[in-house]
């Protein structure tokens, strides 16, 4: 069966289809997890350790239990199986004898009012023996005793390619540092757990991966998985921070203990303390090249601070290493990446997943190389650009689409923006009136990045979707978490196109059906989009079988007996990396180029990011509105990392866990974006489309920093670039 | 605990009994009176997700002490928009159609802020729009589609006025 | 009554006398942050927003008297924008539009944060704070008002009624450094006011010391170096640079998560130079 896509059906593939939840969201009627309410509901609250490292000598919950309105106070002793973790269970649901980061949950309370719960937490007496925290990742491997029985190294990965001792005559080298960025989604963690009559528990929660959460909750509560049912509550953004369990197990424990529904909503401060962050990194890199700019070798050492628990550190390390040299042909390489445990806040998934850190370093290196060879920054990148048929650092041959040179050329060809308007609001510092027109210098910078799409290293990934057509009404169910990215729109577009219908109902996502995997790694467009396409094609085949060669009248064909089919989609197999970091570990790749224009007030070190031109490899545009939204939103997060966003951790304590001091870009900080989309269909992907969420966040940051260097001559080897880094 | 007090929300009076003194207007609207459109994003007045009108002034409901708002006219998004199911204002329509909505958590606050802006400045410049919504943080969109939505709404009003 | 909404200054003060533990509520933008965070348990609140003596802006000779309940949104506009432009500039940098619609100048003065945006302006202009409490009324020069970080001479049971701000002939400005282009707490801020009649220059500094600071030595030095005319003032280029250094010398900054002492001092010198250039020729 062939389906002509993007032409026949309004709201089909390729069109500016609008979100099915759009009207509910603009009307404030869309139910976010924090909006939930149940009769007899209690409020849950966690007590968190104020110390980054301590032994717990005792906990006295007595004073909390005396407070009127308190229904339960639980500690480690009340957790049936007190271990959880996204990939490896190295974390306690409630700390028993030791705390390893400031913010680790120690006790949980259920009470009749959030203020009661808060006062009860304050009344719990924890006797800590405070220990000196291990906060320097550089010392993690050399301390006498690891701070966790599983050791202090999450992963130690070496990639050797070609002859790492080969050297070109041109050598450029640098040390780079990336600060701890936070996902800072707008809707804090929230969930409502309700005890069920069968002894199980129902949890509505904002998450990225229902089934992984379900398994962790069930294990910790000592329940069979089928007794724990999760439903996706409305998610107020995610960006990686909702891959790990947050309040899930706490809410379920309290609901089971009290026999009442328990709602937990994090405050903004608790949100900052209660989810993982982007790994801070220290990177050394040395490139050697021929005088014409052709890269001969790349060497790098990458140190990632994983914080107290593993989360996804293992795979972040792989990504940082595999893509350490960027989308360039590198015949010889030696990359050593290591992620270690410290008493700093745990780090894990965030948009760009390990590649953001590497890209900042390799793009700074490419500019040094351009300068050393007397080449234009665009030219040096074009000369080394990877293309299909080339090999990665891991020896993997690129088989799908990867139009690196095309994105570079398209981005560089975009017109530069006009000079800034003569208004103080348009200058660095804005309404602060710090800069006059003559205090400002303009700079331009260029950067390119690429990243893998989907999970890697042999992970058996899949997604399940179900299509039910009853009396002509099409309902698609898939447990993929809609976190704002617009997967629900895509479901409708695919179903409309394949089934040739106008109306498609998207069922709520829950664990009653098979897993769709995580909304991460730019994977849902391919994985769950693939599952939806596959199930719709199966339904279409069934309709055609029923029609027996006549025209397909969906309503009539499903009037008596509904079509109800379920399909699972898998991508091709990948393989683990070997001892030299070689192997076909990745499914697919996407690249993007960014050119940033900034206005800098060099004397005060203030920056305004004016304009981002970008070209992105998207495979195929499934929805131009949503692709643009991902690009603009991803760039804004790149702006944040470039010039303002950093969780400041001193002695293991987060100093700025609030929106007053963790600054994310406002509308006056966000640049204007011009984007060119490069459509080279990805073989094997549904409709040829690639995931588009991550590339905008990866190379926007180094492009902005390059532009700042251009305007100031400052070295800017660290992000975020702080005012003090630019002033004399 | 406070004595019972009455809040006037979207033209209707609502009695609030057995409340804690420290409850913000945001908490009372959401948890006691069933107006969930205003969102709790930071409870520090930094994100704007809880924007409501008190009398005719746009404020963060999280920083209004509910018990002290008894003699005011409070308008939430529920009161600003048409009551018919699925009906939208021109600004809301523009948000949906331009892709200004992603996760949607900031959206109610932004819709309120844009309505407030267009009341006083029907033809705002780009910088004026940016300044007017600078207190409404959005983490998904990078603001590009939101700025576009405002342009679309402004153009539609201009067209309607002709 | 847990929430007292007095209709006169007298009844507000009576309430504060009767309930010394009561929290004073004006715009709520400082108080409610603490309440929401659980740092400030409330037993009683005196909401002063409707006290008529605290509202309104009136010109009294060469002084503009700004009621404590005046919001920053009101300060951004006339008559303040015309009479005390530096205060209007400072007002525009406070938080977000929503915050400026609620936050009041009285609250800014009462909270007495070293980062309070209005405060350097009041220092530069030599404003005074009208305070009332019990049977006592007093007018405190801003130079005597602050006693430490978020501390002032304001006693329990007292209210800020108004600020009295001199209306000066001469240029003025307000500059504020933050790492975001909107909605940011000052890393360092500076207000300047030129008084052509008295031939004085006033400076106020924010976020570079335990309290808002003045720079009297630098100001009298530059006034003595300047060439004063009836319609303006001239300062030589090299004196502008030295003025920047001297003002920076008055700063007493610390390192914190928003910036380093070294950067803050540098920023003060740059802002002082730029501010003086803008206000002179």
């Amino acid at each position: 069966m062939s389906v002509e896509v993007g032409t026949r059906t309004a709201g089909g593939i390729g069109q500016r289809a609008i979100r099915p939840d759009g009207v509910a969201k603009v009307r404030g009627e869309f139910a976010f997890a924090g909006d939930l309410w149940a009769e007899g509901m209690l409020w849950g609250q966690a007590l968190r350790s104020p110390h980054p490292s301590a032994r717990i000598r005792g906990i006295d919950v007595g004073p909390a239990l005396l407070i009127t309105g308190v229904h339960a106070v639980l500690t480690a002793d009340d957790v049936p199986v007190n271990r959880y973790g996204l990939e490896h269970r190295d974390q306690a649901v409630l700390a028993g004898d030791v705390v390893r980061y400031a913010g680790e949950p120690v006790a949980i309370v259920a009470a009749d009012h959030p203020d009661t719960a808060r006062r009860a937490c304050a009344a719990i007496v924890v006797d800590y023996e405070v220990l000196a925290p291990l906060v320097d990742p550089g010392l993690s491997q050399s301390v006498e005793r690891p701070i966790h029985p599983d050791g202090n190294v999450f992963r130690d990965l070496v990639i050797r390619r070609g002859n790492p001792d080969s050297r070109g005559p041109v050598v450029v080298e640098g040390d780079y540092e990336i600060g701890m960025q936070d996902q800072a989604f707008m809707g804090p963690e929230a969930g409502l757990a309700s005890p069920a009559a069968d002894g199980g528990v129902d949890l509505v929660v904002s998450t990225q991966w229902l089934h992984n959460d379900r398994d962790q909750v069930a294990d910790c509560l000592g329940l069979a998985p089928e007794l724990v049912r999760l439903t996706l509550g409305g998610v107020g953004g995610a960006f990686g921070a909702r891959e790990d369990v947050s309040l899930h197990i706490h809410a379920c424990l309290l609901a089971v203990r009290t026999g009442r529904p328990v709602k937990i909503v994090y405050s903004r401060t608790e949100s900052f303390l209660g989810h993982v962050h982007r790994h801070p990194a220290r990177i050394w890199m040395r490139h050697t090249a021929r005088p014409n700019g052709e890269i001969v070798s790349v060497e790098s050492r990458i140190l990632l601070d994983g914080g107290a628990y593993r989360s996804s550190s293992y795979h972040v390390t792989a990504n940082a290493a595999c893509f350490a040299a960027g989308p360039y042909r590198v015949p010889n390489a030696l990359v050593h990446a290591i992620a270690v445990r410290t008493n700093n806040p745990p780090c894990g998934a965030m948009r760009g997943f390990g590649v953001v850190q590497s890209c900042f370093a390799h793009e700074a290196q490419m500019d040094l190389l351009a300068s050393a060879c007397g080449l234009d920054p665009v030219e040096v990148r074009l000369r080394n650009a990877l293309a299909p048929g080339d090999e990665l650092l891991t020896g993997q041959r690129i088989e799908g689409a990867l139009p690196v040179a095309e994105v570079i050329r398209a981005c560089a060809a975009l017109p530069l923006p006009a000079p800034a308007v003569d208004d103080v609001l348009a200058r660095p510092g804005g309404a602060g009136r710090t800069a006059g027109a003559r205090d400002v210098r303009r700079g331009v910078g260029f950067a390119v990045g690429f990243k893998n799409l989907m999970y890697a290293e042999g992970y058996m990934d899949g997604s399940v979707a179900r299509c039910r057509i009853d009396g002509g009404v099409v309902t698609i169910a898939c447990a993929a978490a809609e976190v704002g990215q617009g997967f629900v729109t895509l479901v409708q577009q695919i179903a409309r196109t394949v089934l040739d219908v106008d109306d498609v109902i998207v069922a709520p996502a829950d664990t009653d059906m098979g897993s769709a995997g995580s909304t991460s790694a730019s994977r849902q467009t391919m994985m769950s989009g693939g599952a939806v396409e596959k199930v719709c094609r199966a339904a279409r085949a069934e309709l055609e079988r029923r029609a027996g060669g006549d025209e397909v009248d969906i309503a009539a064909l499903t009037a008596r007996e509904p079509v109800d089919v379920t399909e699972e989609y898998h991508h091709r197999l990948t393989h683990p990396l070997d001892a030299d970091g070689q192997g076909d570990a990745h499914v697919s790749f996407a690249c993007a180029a960014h050119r940033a224009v900034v206005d800098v007030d060099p004397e005060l070190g203030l920056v305004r990011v004016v304009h981002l031109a970008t070209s992105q490899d998207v495979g195929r545009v499934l929805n131009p509105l949503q692709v643009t939204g991902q690009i603009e939103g991803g760039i804004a997060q790149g702006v944040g990392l470039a010039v303002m966003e950093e969780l400041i951790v001193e002695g293991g304590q987060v100093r700025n866990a609030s929106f007053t001091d963790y600054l994310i870009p406002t509308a006056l900080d966000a640049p204007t974006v011009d984007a060119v989309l490069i459509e080279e269909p990805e073989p094997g992907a549904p409709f040829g489309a690639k995931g588009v969420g991550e590339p905008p966040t990866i190379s926007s940051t180094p492009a902005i920093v390059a532009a700042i260097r251009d305007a100031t001559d400052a070295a800017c080897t660290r992000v975020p670039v702080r005012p003090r880094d630019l002033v004399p | 605990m406070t004595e019972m007090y009455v809040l006037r929300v979207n033209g209707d009076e609502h009695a609030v009994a057995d409340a804690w003194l420290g409850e913000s207007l945001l908490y009372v609207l959401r948890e006691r009176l069933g107006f969930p459109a205003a969102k709790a994003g930071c409870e520090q007045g930094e994100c704007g997700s809880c924007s409501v009108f008190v009398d005719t002034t746009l404020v963060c409901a999280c920083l209004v002490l509910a018990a002290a708002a008894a003699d005011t006219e409070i308008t939430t998004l529920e009161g600003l928009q048409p009551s018919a199911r699925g009906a939208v204002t021109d600004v809301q329509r523009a948000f949906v159609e331009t892709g200004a909505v992603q996760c949607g958590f900031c959206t109610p606050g932004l819709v309120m802020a844009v309505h407030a802006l267009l009341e006083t400045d029907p033809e705002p410049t780009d910088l004026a729009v940016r300044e007017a919504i600078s207190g409404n943080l959005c983490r998904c969109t990078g603001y590009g589609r939101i700025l576009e939505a405002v342009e679309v709404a402004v153009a539609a009003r201009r067209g309607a006025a002709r | 009554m847990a929430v007292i909404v007095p209709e006169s200054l007298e009844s507000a003060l009576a309430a504060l006398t009767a309930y010394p533990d009561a929290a004073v509520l004006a715009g709520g933008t400082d108080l409610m942050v603490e309440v929401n965070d659980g740092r400030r348990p409330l037993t009683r609140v005196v909401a002063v927003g409707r006290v008529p003596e605290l509202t309104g802006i009136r010109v009294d000779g060469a002084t503009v008297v700004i009621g404590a309940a005046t919001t920053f949104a009101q300060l951004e506009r006339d008559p303040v924008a015309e009479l005390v432009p530096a205060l209007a500039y400072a007002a525009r940098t406070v938080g977000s539009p929503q915050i400026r619609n609620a936050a009041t100048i009285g609250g800014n003065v009462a909270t007495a944060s070293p980062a309070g945006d209005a405060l350097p302006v009041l220092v530069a202009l030599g404003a005074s704070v009208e305070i009332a409490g019990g049977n006592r009324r007093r007018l405190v020069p801003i130079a005597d008002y602050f006693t430490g970080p978020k501390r002032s001479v304001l006693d329990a049971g007292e209210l800020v009624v108004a600020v009295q701000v001199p209306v000066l002939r001469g240029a003025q400005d307000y500059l504020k450094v933050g790492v975001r282009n909107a909605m940011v707490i000052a890393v360092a801020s500076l207000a300047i006011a030129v008084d052509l009649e008295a031939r004085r220059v006033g400076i106020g500094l924010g976020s570079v010391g335990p309290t808002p600071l003045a720079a009297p030595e630098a100001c009298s030095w530059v006034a003595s170096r300047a060439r004063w005319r009836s319609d303006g003032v001239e300062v030589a280029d090299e004196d502008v640079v030295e003025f920047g250094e001297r003002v920076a010398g008055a700063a007493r900054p610390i390192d914190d998560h928003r910036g380093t002492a070294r950067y803050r001092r540098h920023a003060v010198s740059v802002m002082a130079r730029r501010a003086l250039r803008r206000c002179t020729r």
Side-chain angles (χ1 to χ4, degrees), chain C:
Chain C
M1 289 283 280
V3 179
I4 300 164
V5 188
E7 301 283 343
S8 71
L9 179 58
E10 197 182 350
S11 53
L13 296 174
L16 290 177
T17 306
Y19 306 110
D21 62 333
V24 177
L25 174 72
T29 55
D30 284 335
L31 178 68
M32 287 303 290
V33 171
E34 294 190 354
V35 171
N36 291 340
D37 197 33
R39 282 180 284 145
R40 180 73 183 258
L42 293 182
T43 52
R44 205 173 300 269
V45 171
V46 179
V48 298
R50 271 173 241 160
V51 173
E53 291 91 335
L54 268 55
T55 61
I57 300 167
R58 67 173 203 281
V59 180
D60 185 358
T63 302
V64 56
V65 181
I66 301 170
T70 305
T71 64
F72 284 102
Q74 290 169 314
L75 294 179
E76 284 185 75
R77 302 191 289 264
D78 285 344
V80 171
E82 190 202 342
L83 299 173
V84 195
L87 196 52
Y89 297 147
R92 194 183 185 186
T93 73
V94 173
S96 63
Q98 288 89 328
I99 296 295
R100 301 200 281 278
N101 282 338
T104 65
I105 190 165
N108 213 225
V109 170
T111 298
S113 162
D117 284 306
L119 308 181
V121 181
L122 302 182
V123 170
L125 288 160
S128 300
V129 183
E130 266 186 64
I131 295 172
N135 304 318
R136 190 162 73 135
R137 301 293 154 94
R138 52 190 181 134
L139 187 63
V140 180
I142 197 77
D144 302 333
Y145 177 79
F146 304 104
T147 56
K150 296 199 174 184
R151 290 203 309 273
S152 70
V153 299
L154 192 68
D155 286 328
E158 285 190 316
L159 277 180
V160 175
V161 175
V163 289
Q164 297 190 2
V165 183
V167 177
L168 304 181
R169 201 166 63 78
Q172 44 187 259
D173 212 335
Y174 176 80
L175 292 79
K176 166 175 166 180
V177 168
V179 292
R180 188 158 70 178
N181 291 305
M183 207 167 48
V184 70
I185 291 178
V187 171
S189 62
L190 176 145
I192 188 169
V194 170
D195 183 348
L196 292 174
E197 306 297 335
R199 301 196 158 186
R200 275 201 302 252
V201 174
I203 285 283
L205 303 175
S207 295
V208 291
T211 67
L213 299 172
E217 185 278 332
C219 289
S220 50
W221 176 83
V222 79
S224 72
R225 302 279 298 177
R227 288 175 44 194
W228 294 91
R229 293 193 317 268
S230 63
D231 63 340
V233 56
E234 279 176 40
V235 179
D237 262 358
E238 60 272 23
D239 287 353
V240 172
V241 174
E242 177 156 357
F243 177 69
E245 297 308 313
R246 285 174 181 250
V247 173
R252 289 152 59 200
I254 56 166
D255 288 343
D256 67 16
H257 58 275
R258 293 181 190 137
T260 60
R262 186 172 175 273
Y263 172 76
R264 286 183 157 113
R265 199 180 291 280
H266 165 81
V268 167
S269 75
V270 175
M271 287 192 291
R273 273 191 273 126
R274 289 183 183 176
L276 187 63
R277 283 211 177 94
R278 289 183 203 169
C279 291
T280 58
R281 61 180 85 171

Side-chain angles (χ1 to χ4, degrees), chain A residues 53-73:
Chain A
S53 177
R55 257 189 282 282
I56 297 175
R57 285 188 291 230
I59 303 180
D60 181 5
V61 302
L65 286 167
L66 289 177
I67 294 172
T68 309
V70 171
H71 289 251
V73 183

Side-chain angles (χ1 to χ4, degrees), chain A residues 550-696:
Chain A
D550 292 343
E551 190 166 323
V552 173
D553 177 342
I554 293 188
L557 291 171
T558 59
R560 272 181 305 174
E561 191 196 344
V563 167
D564 193 338
V565 285
T566 298
E567 290 286 345
E568 183 161 7
Y569 179 87
H570 296 277
H571 60 63
R572 68 177 178 79
L573 275 182
T574 61
H575 303 278
L577 296 169
D578 67 16
D580 288 324
Q582 300 293 295
D584 285 354
H586 303 291
V587 178
S588 183
F589 311 92
C591 60
H594 289 87
R595 186 195 64 208
V597 174
V598 301
D599 282 344
V600 184
D601 176 349
E603 224 181 354
L604 282 175
L606 299 182
V607 178
R608 185 183 189 98
V609 183
V610 174
H611 185 263
L612 259 293
T614 181
S615 177
Q616 186 166 326
D617 155 36
V618 299
R620 166 108 192 262
V621 178
L622 299 185
N623 184 327
L625 277 183
Q626 295 195 165
V627 172
T628 306
Q630 287 297 308
I631 289 175
E632 290 173 337
I635 285 174
Q637 293 183 4
V639 170
L641 178 59
V643 296
M644 65 181 80
E645 287 185 34
E646 182 176 14
L647 267 189
I648 296 168
V649 184
E650 290 169 351
Q653 301 283 358
V654 179
R655 296 294 180 201
N656 56 338
S658 77
F659 272 163
T660 306
D661 279 311
Y662 185 87
L663 302 181
I664 65 173
T666 72
L668 278 166
D669 302 284
T672 303
V673 174
D674 283 329
V676 179
L677 307 178
I678 303 295
E679 295 191 84
E680 282 194 15
E682 177 75 348
F687 309 100
K690 292 183 175 182
V692 299
E694 292 180 285

Side-chain angles (χ1 to χ4, degrees), chain A residues 134 139-148 151-152:
Chain A
L134 168 62
L139 300 178
S140 278
Q141 291 169 277
S142 57
V143 290
E144 212 166 288
R145 276 203 329 209
I147 58 173
H148 190 285
N152 279 1

